[in-house]
Each structure stands twice: as structure tokens, then as C-alpha cells.
Amino acid sequence: MQSHKKRSPSDIDQSLTDKNSAGLSKLNILRLFQNSESFRELGLLIFIVILSGIFQLRNPSFLSLANIKDLLANTAILSILSVGMMMVILTRGIDLSIGSTMALSGMVTALTVSANPQISPLLSLIEGMAIGLAAGLVIGVLIAHFNILPIIATLGLMNILRGMTYLVSKGKWVSAYQMSTGFKNLSTGTTLGINNLIIFAVLIYILYSYFINQTKTGRYIYAVGSSPETAELIGIKRKRIILLVYSLMGLLAGLAGVLWVSKFASAQGDTAVGYEMNVIAATVLGGVSVSGGRGRVTGIILGSVLFGILANALPLINISPFWQQFIQGIVILAAIISNVLLQRRNEKAALRKRAI
Amino acid sequence: MEKPGFEIERPRAFQRYQWEIFLFVLFMAVNVVNSFLSPYYLSIDTFLSTPMNFLDKAFLVLPMTMVIILGNIDVSVGSIVALSSVLMAVSYNGGVSMPLAMVLALLVSTTCGFINGFLQIKFRELSATIITLSTMTVYRGIAYVILEDRSAGRFPSWFSFLAWGYIGKVPFIFIVFIIAAIIFSIILHKTRFGRTVYAVGNNRTASEYSGIRTDRVILGVSTLAGLMAGFTSLFLTSRMGSTRPNVALNYELDAIAMTVLGGISTSGGKGRIGGPLIAIFLIGFLNYGLGLRNVSAQVILIILGILLILSVLVQNFTNRTSQSPRKSATPAHRIDVGDGSDIHKNSAQGG
């Protein structure tokens, strides 16, 4: 349970000793990656390439530029949310409420836009983020200050927020004709030929990778997840970090809710029902360990892309959409189990090294 | 609730059953309010027949009590209900006789529960939460693969007896539930197995060192949860007359809410089954009363969420004095550091 920064040197050591003891073999390159997170990311990458190859063979339009753009745009919201979920899972938590947060923020902003069409899209974004932030703050306070298990608190909030969505909309939908063009352009418009959604996602990833890797607070998140006790002993304010993590998750969910509603040009009571599972799946697939303290930005990018391919490309190769949930579940299960197996192997390797 | 140095003997009955008494008073209050809402409310018949609307869910609460006492959470039970219900309907429509289809449903659900438990003991690093979250998706996914967006049904007419039939004046489901509740109370409070559930929930490492086969306990409880989900699927399908892959959505939430409201601490090792039993009826009659007032399902959703969080809040406050000073956020973590630091946790509870 160390942060990955600390792991790297020992990993290199390990791979070097391995090389010396085993001599030259074909698997040298694999050995180099054996004990690091790069190994599993390489695996993910290879898997993505193979999967794309198969899809390309079955449907030649899969790797066309238009489809790749579509794919990325469809993955953008998922990948934005994985950022928040990664932080939550890093602290050993989980957030099941984000689907409902998205629905609420999307619904409220859509209602605002339909009432005042002249409102600036930027203001809509801020409105959605504020709603998400408020929801996240409530969850964070419940978890950090009242010691409620994350799953219980977010399960409760999931219902409360979903119920509130129905209440504010009185069960009605907000449809495309009620939204201003500016609002719809938030997600569907392009800047310099690139879909706005992709730009949003890239911006968030740049900010986030600076935050989580370079700032003190970002590293504290890893510390709290690795060992809450130790983190507190060295003076990290654990509660504050947990509050921060859930608030940021809420903020991102609020943003994603606005983007979602703008993308599909429709706000409904059941917007994004169950979407939290997709996000958790993508995050866990990206190598973020559910026992906390482990995970990298590159991992969740790959995880989201892989998950986006699985979710969006199945219809392209004539797999019934009803298989989607099953495949998704199996993929999550495989990801968490392979995480554990990999971790066990690492620990064993570390022990063996100590024995020599 | 023992305070070191002040109370050495076991707390008196009133203190021990504080939470149950509180729930019961709440239950009576709900009934009083309901009887004001409808003049026909206050009768034995209402009391006996209203539970038909919610007792199918209640079968999930019994094993969920054990699961939470173990310090785990099982969110897959709703999906297990859906899967076994779908399989039962499909196999019946495919020519299997109805009794056999019902047995099949129970077998499937038990197997699902067993798989949950098996994964938990094979991969101890993973919390039960994340395992059941993924199997939840898998099980419901299978239900969707089998039935897509169709519904299946056309059961024989006697099948509806399960949910709608009466024996004398008492609904059949009520009788079955009472029997199940008695069996579960005995298992949890009077048998060796029940005591080990508390022990493992209190401190898994310590129980292991004292010779308890913790793996078997966890496997057993998970399998029981699967079996009871099978019963829920039988009664639910019978009540609705047909089934779809999206039945029993959020049933796990209801079950968890009732259990936690019943005073079972989510930190594990604490609580008696009486509380959840009262909570089932409390929430059931509350829903019924809200229905009388035409309160929409969405508001009920909100109320349920608030109840869930409030009950945990209240428990956390009342337990604060007896808890070790630094509690970490997740049960998985507690197992990591559970090196006896929480061995002093109140064990007078639950006898």
C-alpha cells in the first residue's frame, strides 16, 4: 500500500535482479513491467488494440476518423466522471449517488434554460456544478464528520436526489425544443473541429493530473487511502481530504449532468440511472484499487476508453444491447480480481526479494 | 453501551431494548396517524392484509441482518431476485412443471449467493461491497440476456396463492414469513453458528485465532442470503403474475434501509433481529399510510433515503461513547487493522 511514486525505484531494482538471475529470455520486456502499474496499463493498451482490431475486421467503418471522434465524444462524460471516482476510490470510498446527482443538476439547469432561453451556457455550467458541489458536500460531511459508511450515505443520497429530480420536474421531461441552441452547443458544438466534450475532458485531465501528482493535497489523497491512521499521525487532516474528495466528485457529476442533458437534448427523471456502475467499472478497470491508495491517471484514461469501446461499439458488430450489462459486470469482476492477483504476485515477489 | 468504570453489570432490559422500543413507539404512531387518515383503517383485517404488499421484500431483511452483523453489505440481492424470477418464468414457459421451476428458482438464487460468498473468501482483499456490486451487474445482466425487454408469465392459477392466498383469515405469505423469522431468530441468537456471526463481525482476525472457521461463516451467510432472495422472487412473481428483467430494482436498498433502521450497526458485530422485524412493519405501514394520502412514489423514495441516513446518524451518536476513538471509514479497512484494537467492543449486545 505505497503510493506509486515510491514503488518505481524498487520495481526497477526488482526487474534488474530478475534479469540477472534468470538470464536472457524472450520475456525480458515483460519482466521489466512485471511489478509495476505500467504492466497492467500495457496490458490494457494491448487489449484495446486487439479489441479494435477485431471490431475493425467485423465492421470496416470502426476505425474511420468520424467513428473515432464519435467514440471519444461518447466516452468524454464517462472519463470526466472517472476522475472524481478515482479520487473517491483512492480513499477507499465509493459513490453510488452520481447518477442521481447528474439527473438533478441536468434537470435543474434544463428547467432554468427553458424558462430563460437567453441565459449564457457558461452560467448553466456553473449552475450545474454548484448543484453537484452542494450534493457532494452533503455526502462528504456525512462520511467524513458523521462516520457513515460511504456506501450507506451515497445509497441514501442516491434516492433522495433522484426523488428531488422527479419533484422539481413534476415528472415531466424537458425536451430539445425547450432548450436554447447555445445550451445544446455545449456538448454538440465543435471548437477548431474538435467536439467540445473532448475539449472539456482534456482540460479536466490536464488540471487533474497536475493536481493529483504535483500538489500536496493530491498526494495527501493517496496517503489517506494507503493508510488512514498513518496519514493522520503525520498530520494530514483526513476528514478534510475526504470532504474534498466527495465534493469534487459532486462538482464533476454536476458538470457531467449538464453536459449529458445538453448532449442528448433531453432532461428526464431517469437520466443516467445506473450510470455510477459504468463509472466505477471504468475506474476499476483502469487499475484503481478498491482497497485504496493505488491508481494512476493514465490508467483511468485507458479504462474509460476501453469501457467506451465496449459500451459504444457492441452495436457496431451486431451484439444485442441486452448483452451490455452482462459484459460490463463480467469486465468489472475480471478487473477487480486481476487487480488482486497482480497485487498478490507483487507482494510475493517483494518477499522473495527480501529472502535473497 | 458500557462505559468503562461506571457500569460493569449488563444494562437493564429497558436500556438493552431501547432501540426496539423506540421503533415500536414509532410504529404505533404511524398506525395512529393512518387511522386518522382513513376511517376503515383500524381493523384486524387491515392489519393482517396490508403486509401482503411488502412482505415479499421482508424475506431479504432476515439474511441482510446477518450480512450487516458480519460487517458486510450485500447489494446484489435485488438482482438475484430478478434473475431467479426470470429463470423460473422462462423454464416454466419452456415446459418445465411449475413446482420444478420453483425449485429451480431457489437453486439458482442459492447458487448466486454461494458465488458471492465464494468470491469473498477467495479474494479477501476485496470488500463485500465491491464484489456484490459487480455480481449485481452480472446477475441482472444475465436476466436481460435471457429475456431482453420481454415479459414472461402465464403461470398456473394456483401459483398466485403464494402471494394472494389466505389460510383462515391470515394471508399465506404472513404465515411463511413468521416461520422464516422465527427460524432466523433461533439461528442468530440460539445457535453456535449465530454466535460465530457476531464474533466474526466484531473481529475477524481474533475469531480466526480462536478457532472459528470465518470463511465458512461468510460463505454460509452469503448462501442464506441467496436462498432468501429465492423466496422473495417466488412471492414477488406470484404477486405480479409475470416477470421482467427489471423487477426488484432497488430491493437491496429497501432491505439495507430496513435492517439499518432496525438498529443493526454497519460497523458489524452488533444488533438483534427484533429491530429489523419491527422496522419492516414500520416502513411497510408508513408506505401504506403515505399511499392513503396519495403521496407519490418519489417522495417515498426521499423519505426512505432520509430514514436510512438518519438511523445511521442516530446510532453513530449513541455509540460514540462506547467506540474506540479512531474509526476508519470502511469495513475492509477495519479488517486490515483489526489486530485486537477493537476487541473491547461491546459484546453484551445481541444475547
Side-chain angles (χ1 to χ4, degrees):
Chain A
M1 309 248 171
Q2 311 151 315
S3 68
H4 73 266
K5 279 208 157 177
K6 277 192 169 177
R7 296 186 63 81
S8 320
S10 66
D11 290 341
I12 293 164
D13 271 350
Q14 172 65 28
S15 57
L16 285 176
T17 52
D18 270 359
K19 229 184 251 173
N20 294 338
S21 58
L24 283 169
S25 81
K26 270 188 240 166
L27 291 172
N28 261 348
I29 296 172
L30 279 184
R31 285 242 165 87
L32 185 71
F33 287 108
Q34 191 171 25
N35 293 320
S36 62
E37 270 136 330
S38 316
F39 174 69
R40 63 163 295 127
E41 277 160 24
L42 191 75
L44 267 180
L45 197 63
I46 292 172
F47 191 57
I48 290 175
V49 170
I50 292 174
L51 209 63
S52 310
I54 294 172
F55 284 173
Q56 176 69 13
L57 283 179
R58 305 245 340 224
N59 186 338
S61 66
F62 179 73
L63 284 182
S64 64
L65 190 66
N67 192 46
I68 289 177
K69 266 189 187 168
D70 265 7
L71 200 87
L72 286 179
N74 286 335
T75 316
I77 292 181
L78 182 73
S79 59
I80 290 174
L81 289 166
S82 334
V83 164
M85 192 57 84
M86 173 176 161
M87 289 187 277
V88 168
I89 295 184
L90 276 181
T91 62
R92 303 180 178 188
I94 199 145
D95 194 336
L96 301 180
S97 70
I98 53 175
S100 302
T101 310
M102 287 166 71
L104 183 65
S105 92
M107 180 57 81
V108 172
T109 40
L111 285 172
T112 324
V113 167
S114 74
N116 331 279
Q118 75 287 354
I119 207 168
S120 140
L122 203 66
L123 220 60
S124 302
L125 273 185
I126 293 170
E127 187 187 3
M129 281 156 75
I131 292 166
L133 182 66
L137 269 174
V138 171
I139 296 172
V141 167
L142 286 176
I143 294 172
H145 293 279
F146 293 102
N147 278 327
I148 297 184
L149 289 183
I151 186 158
I152 299 270
T154 55
L155 211 55
L157 258 290
M158 173 173 106
N159 278 271
I160 295 173
L161 295 170
R162 182 67 63 184
M164 282 168 69
T165 311
Y166 283 106
L167 277 190
V168 294
S169 66
K170 301 188 182 67
K172 293 196 191 94
W173 295 10
V174 182
S175 311
Y177 70 91
Q178 287 161 291
M179 296 174 190
S180 63
T181 336
F183 181 71
K184 280 183 277 192
N185 270 345
L186 265 180
S187 292
T188 51
T190 54
T191 309
L192 302 174
I194 299 169
N195 188 300
N196 284 348
L197 276 177
I198 302 176
I199 294 176
F200 273 119
V202 169
L203 279 180
I204 286 174
Y205 268 89
I206 291 171
L207 278 178
Y208 173 65
S209 68
Y210 174 75
F211 168 69
I212 200 82
N213 290 326
Q214 308 295 330
T215 67
K216 239 184 203 173
T217 323
R219 303 313 298 173
Y220 284 171
I221 294 176
Y222 279 97
V224 166
S226 289
S227 171
E229 268 77 10
T230 322
E232 226 160 289
L233 284 180
I234 61 170
I236 295 172
K237 299 207 162 54
R238 189 178 64 87
K239 288 182 177 179
R240 214 179 276 176
I241 295 289
I242 289 187
L243 184 63
L244 173 82
V245 161
Y246 285 92
S247 309
L248 285 178
M249 175 80 258
L251 185 84
L252 289 170
L255 171 71
V258 179
L259 295 178
W260 177 292
V261 165
S262 141
K263 176 164 184 271
F264 296 102
S266 157
Q268 309 165 9
D270 60 351
T271 295
V273 166
Y275 202 64
E276 56 275 352
M277 283 314 294
N278 298 16
V279 179
I280 294 170
T283 313
V284 175
L285 203 58
V288 181
S289 160
V290 284
S291 42
R294 261 165 217 252
R296 299 206 305 196
V297 180
T298 39
I300 58 170
I301 294 176
L302 289 172
S304 308
V305 168
L306 177 54
F307 200 80
I309 291 178
L310 279 178
N312 294 310
L314 287 182
L316 275 183
I317 57 164
N318 293 327
I319 289 182
S320 143
F322 295 107
W323 278 84
Q324 200 170 308
Q325 197 170 6
F326 174 68
I327 292 176
Q328 176 187 327
I330 291 288
V331 166
I332 309 176
L333 207 55
I336 55 175
I337 288 177
S338 67
N339 269 348
V340 169
L341 294 180
L342 217 64
Q343 210 164 308
R344 280 186 191 166
R345 226 178 54 161
N346 287 350
E347 269 150 29
K348 221 181 244 175
L351 276 180
R352 202 173 296 141
K353 189 180 154 201
R354 216 182 289 166
I356 296 166
Chain B
M1 328 292 150
E2 59 191 44
K3 296 179 187 94
F6 289 96
E7 277 177 33
I8 302 157
E9 56 192 74
R10 286 164 73 128
R12 283 151 202 253
F14 180 77
Q15 278 172 317
R16 276 191 70 196
Y17 295 106
Q18 223 172 11
W19 189 259
E20 281 91 339
I21 292 169
F22 168 68
L23 284 178
F24 191 72
V25 169
L26 224 69
F27 173 66
M28 294 312 277
V30 165
N31 276 314
V32 169
V33 173
N34 282 358
S35 65
F36 276 116
L37 292 176
S38 159
Y40 307 107
Y41 181 81
L42 220 55
S43 70
I44 296 285
D45 283 345
T46 319
F47 182 76
L48 286 177
S49 60
T50 308
M52 291 169 92
N53 300 313
F54 58 79
L55 273 187
D56 51 346
K57 231 175 261 182
F59 285 95
L60 299 175
V61 177
L62 301 174
M64 188 64 81
T65 305
M66 287 188 180
V67 171
I68 296 186
I69 289 175
L70 272 182
N72 291 344
I73 297 268
D74 188 338
V75 289
S76 70
V77 284
S79 297
I80 298 181
V81 171
L83 177 60
S84 62
S85 166
V86 161
L87 273 173
M88 174 171 66
V90 167
S91 58
Y92 172 68
N93 291 347
V96 180
S97 77
M98 195 61 211
L100 206 63
M102 287 162 67
V103 173
L104 186 76
L106 291 180
L107 273 180
V108 167
S109 64
T110 313
T111 314
C112 288
F114 181 82
I115 292 173
N116 280 345
F118 184 76
L119 290 173
Q120 279 172 47
I121 60 177
K122 279 291 158 200
F123 302 102
R124 295 176 66 159
E125 295 93 332
L126 297 171
S127 65
T129 309
I130 193 76
I131 287 177
T132 52
L133 262 177
S134 43
T135 54
M136 167 177 104
T137 322
V138 173
Y139 297 152
R140 202 175 285 278
I142 298 174
Y144 270 108
V145 168
I146 293 172
L147 213 52
E148 307 204 328
D149 56 353
R150 298 186 301 264
S151 69
R154 296 195 306 280
F155 296 109
S157 56
W158 60 264
F159 183 57
S160 65
F161 177 81
L162 285 187
W164 299 109
Y166 285 83
I167 291 179
K169 272 193 137 189
V170 190
F172 177 65
I173 184 173
F174 206 145
I175 297 174
V176 178
F177 178 70
I178 297 288
I179 295 173
I182 292 172
I183 294 175
F184 265 85
S185 321
I186 293 174
I187 294 178
L188 189 58
H189 295 309
K190 297 290 174 210
T191 65
R192 213 186 104 85
F193 179 76
R195 299 312 303 167
T196 55
V197 170
Y198 282 99
V200 175
N202 255 318
N203 190 328
R204 185 167 171 178
T205 318
S207 339
E208 212 149 75
Y209 284 139
S210 50
I212 295 172
R213 305 205 171 180
T214 55
D215 283 357
R216 282 192 191 176
V217 177
I218 289 170
L219 197 60
V221 169
S222 297
T223 314
L224 261 182
L227 177 68
M228 296 319 279
F231 276 102
T232 300
S233 83
L234 293 186
F235 286 109
L236 177 73
T237 319
S238 157
R239 181 154 69 88
M240 297 189 309
S242 75
T243 189
R244 302 171 67 88
N246 64 354
V247 294
L249 214 58
N250 285 339
Y251 266 34
E252 59 279 350
L253 171 81
D254 292 355
I256 294 170
M258 287 176 188
T259 312
V260 172
L261 180 65
I264 310 290
S265 158
T266 48
S267 51
K270 266 185 214 172
R272 289 168 300 266
I273 204 161
L277 288 179
I278 304 176
I280 290 167
F281 286 88
L282 171 63
I283 291 188
F285 279 85
L286 182 71
N287 272 343
Y288 183 72
L290 292 171
L292 282 180
R293 289 227 50 187
N294 269 335
V295 175
S296 68
Q298 285 77 44
V299 179
I300 296 179
L301 213 60
I302 297 182
I303 292 176
L304 199 63
I306 292 177
L307 266 182
L308 174 65
I309 288 175
L310 269 187
S311 51
V312 185
L313 269 184
V314 172
Q315 281 168 31
N316 280 358
F317 272 116
T318 50
N319 288 347
R320 187 155 282 184
T321 43
S322 65
Q323 268 179 2
S324 49
R326 207 174 280 126
K327 276 258 149 197
S328 57
T330 66
H333 167 65
R334 263 192 304 109
I335 291 164
D336 280 356
V337 293
D339 47 9
S341 62
D342 45 5
I343 206 165
H344 66 280
K345 236 174 24 175
N346 192 352
S347 57
Q349 289 263 338

